[in-house]
Amino acid sequence: MSLINNVEFMRHLPKMNGFNGLGVFAPAAPTPLVETSEFGANPGALKMFSFVPAQLARSPSLVIVLHGCGQTAAGYDLGAGWSTLARHYGFALLMPEQQSSNNGNTCFNWFDPEDIARGHGEASSIRQMIAYMAGAHDIDPRRIYVTGLSAGGAMASVMLATYPDVFAGGAIIAGLPYGVATNLREALQTMMQGSALAAPELGDLVRKASKHDGAWPKISVWHGSADRTVSPANADAIVRQWLDVHGLPLAAMSKADVDGYPREVWWNADGETLVESYSITDMAHGTPLGLADNDERYGVEGAFLIEAGISSSYHIAEFFGLTDQIRQPHIAPTGIPRERADTISMTIPVPAAEPEPATKPGRSSSQPGKSRSNSVNVGRIIARALTAAGLMK
């Protein structure tokens, strides 16, 4: 279908601010998610759903998960397995939901200027939900993360750009960079072709979205190489955008296969990973599913939830540092004999699973990804080298 035909099709939707595709609604299913109707002024008129496991970790984390077009919060949770992960690892889960009255395809309006500015529209509604969850469940303000699929991934880009002081990290699946479209026509064109903006221009879009002057959230980017709904060129643009924001080079510092798929990594002088990118070879538009490293399976295959042999939800949770919260100490990393692991644990400080996360305005200046000193952390660099060599995970 051509761009012009796509635009014409959109004119017949209840509100002309969605984008084409993904119109398959998940069937109703039992869900652990609970709806909260009163959480703030809600200028974006979104619904709020959440899940808090009976056993929360100390200083619990909060993960915000944003569904794709044609999906519901409960449907995407079932498919991607986030509430199962939350129960397993003791973190709280927030899942905003779009309403058809806002968008005919129930897409988050990731390109509408009224919804993607700090303090306005849908972005503000999601921020209010976060504040509600943080207050109600004593969430660690340094451990708040956001992820999403497709339009939800693009909205995750919005949240990371407009509220970088709130998030320690984010993960964008089959999404788009922040600020590359401001109307429906631009959105459709960028979806199909990607953005031609250079890295500094993309970075400026993020820097201008707030008055943030601290360190920035770390980013994980996922995209299927055979995606015909959102061009994989958008994954490259997201990476370029955040590499520029972090002041990192375009060339990856490490390349390796994870569960058979290429992963590129960039880290800072302390050895903390700030940007990573997964290309899921031959996968179409959707969230990749598979057996996790802990031999658990998170999620259920369905529309835009694709069995690919890699569990994106688990790897994203691991990237956020969530899977370490209830692990037993001194467990040998994969591929290292127990006696060697014990030696390494005594002599090399293994890199933290996440940088020190962002604080809210008015808090201390400690920020995610910011070095605690100007010196290079030799232990982290050695550990990083062992990881790249396959001796540590």
Side-chain angles (χ1 to χ4, degrees):
M1 182 178 285
S2 70
L3 173 61
I4 298 300
N5 287 338
N6 267 329
V7 173
E8 183 62 29
F9 170 75
M10 285 300 171
R11 290 198 177 103
H12 298 286
L13 292 177
K15 185 177 180 182
M16 194 187 74
N17 60 359
F19 60 78
N20 185 44
L22 319 191
V24 180
F25 284 81
T31 176
L33 302 183
V34 175
E35 183 173 5
T36 299
S37 57
E38 300 293 334
F39 56 84
N42 192 17
L46 301 178
K47 290 186 175 182
M48 174 182 171
F49 293 89
S50 64
F51 171 70
V52 179
Q55 298 296 325
L56 271 177
R58 285 190 296 179
S59 298
S61 301
L62 174 66
V63 178
I64 297 87
V65 179
L66 302 169
H67 63 78
C69 297
Q71 296 176 324
T72 63
Y76 189 63
D77 175 49
L78 174 67
W82 275 102
S83 61
T84 304
L85 276 160
R87 186 180 295 109
H88 194 165
Y89 292 109
F91 60 86
L93 181 67
L94 167 63
M95 298 196 69
E97 183 176 284
Q98 182 61 282
Q99 301 196 73
S100 58
S101 56
N102 293 333
N103 183 292
N105 275 350
T106 63
C107 312
F108 290 103
N109 290 308
W110 58 270
F111 54 86
D112 189 333
E114 295 181 358
D115 285 307
I116 64 174
R118 185 179 176 112
H120 295 274
E122 293 176 11
S124 180
S125 289
I126 295 170
R127 178 65 183 94
Q128 290 174 10
M129 295 179 197
I130 294 169
Y132 179 93
M133 290 291 292
H137 303 289
D138 198 23
I139 299 298
D140 186 339
R142 302 167 302 168
R143 298 175 64 86
I144 298 175
Y145 309 90
V146 62
T147 184
L149 165 67
S150 191
M155 199 66 191
S157 289
V158 170
M159 298 307 299
L160 291 163
T162 55
Y163 294 99
D165 49 319
V166 171
F167 297 102
I172 301 164
I173 305 172
L176 297 99
Y178 173 75
V180 293
T182 57
N183 56 53
L184 174 61
R185 183 179 291 272
E186 290 177 359
L188 289 165
Q189 184 172 353
T190 306
M191 284 173 56
M192 291 190 294
Q193 300 176 4
S195 173
L197 294 177
E201 295 173 294
L202 290 165
D204 283 344
L205 292 172
V206 171
R207 284 184 286 267
K208 293 176 181 178
S210 74
K211 297 180 180 180
H212 184 60
D213 62 357
W216 298 87
K218 62 181 184 178
I219 306 295
S220 180
V221 181
W222 294 70
H223 217 112
S225 68
D227 193 330
R228 300 294 178 264
T229 302
V230 177
S231 169
N234 286 289
D236 296 334
I238 296 168
V239 170
R240 293 199 312 274
Q241 184 168 64
W242 285 95
L243 288 178
D244 187 76
V245 167
H246 281 291
L248 294 170
L250 291 177
M253 296 175 176
S254 175
K255 296 182 180 181
D257 283 354
V258 176
D259 293 339
Y261 298 107
R263 173 182 181 249
E264 296 184 327
V265 182
W266 292 259
W267 57 80
N268 65 7
D270 268 357
E272 296 168 329
T273 295
L274 297 183
V275 179
E276 68 171 11
S277 177
Y278 284 84
S279 178
I280 310 304
T281 312
D282 297 327
M283 193 187 81
H285 188 71
T287 294
L289 308 178
L291 194 66
D293 290 352
N294 61 357
D295 294 328
E296 296 280 349
R297 184 171 293 275
Y298 299 100
V300 178
E301 189 175 2
F304 312 109
L305 295 149
I306 302 171
E307 176 57 45
I310 183 170
S311 176
S312 58
S313 297
Y314 176 82
H315 282 289
I316 289 168
E318 187 176 44
F319 178 73
F320 291 162
L322 304 176
T323 61
D324 292 331
Q325 292 194 68
I326 62 171
R327 285 180 178 172
Q328 296 299 316
H330 309 305
I331 293 178
T334 302
I336 303 180
R338 170 66 63 180
E339 60 274 13
R340 291 184 62 194
D342 292 340
T343 302
I344 290 171
S345 67
M346 290 187 292
T347 59
I348 299 176
V350 178
E354 60 180 349
E356 186 177 350
T359 56
K360 296 179 181 178
R363 293 184 180 268
S364 70
S365 61
S366 178
Q367 296 287 350
K370 179 170 286 188
S371 302
R372 296 170 191 250
S373 70
N374 293 327
S375 61
V376 174
N377 189 320
V378 177
R380 288 185 184 275
I381 300 301
I382 294 173
R384 178 66 66 182
L386 290 172
T387 301
L391 296 177
M392 293 183 65
K393 184 169 180 184

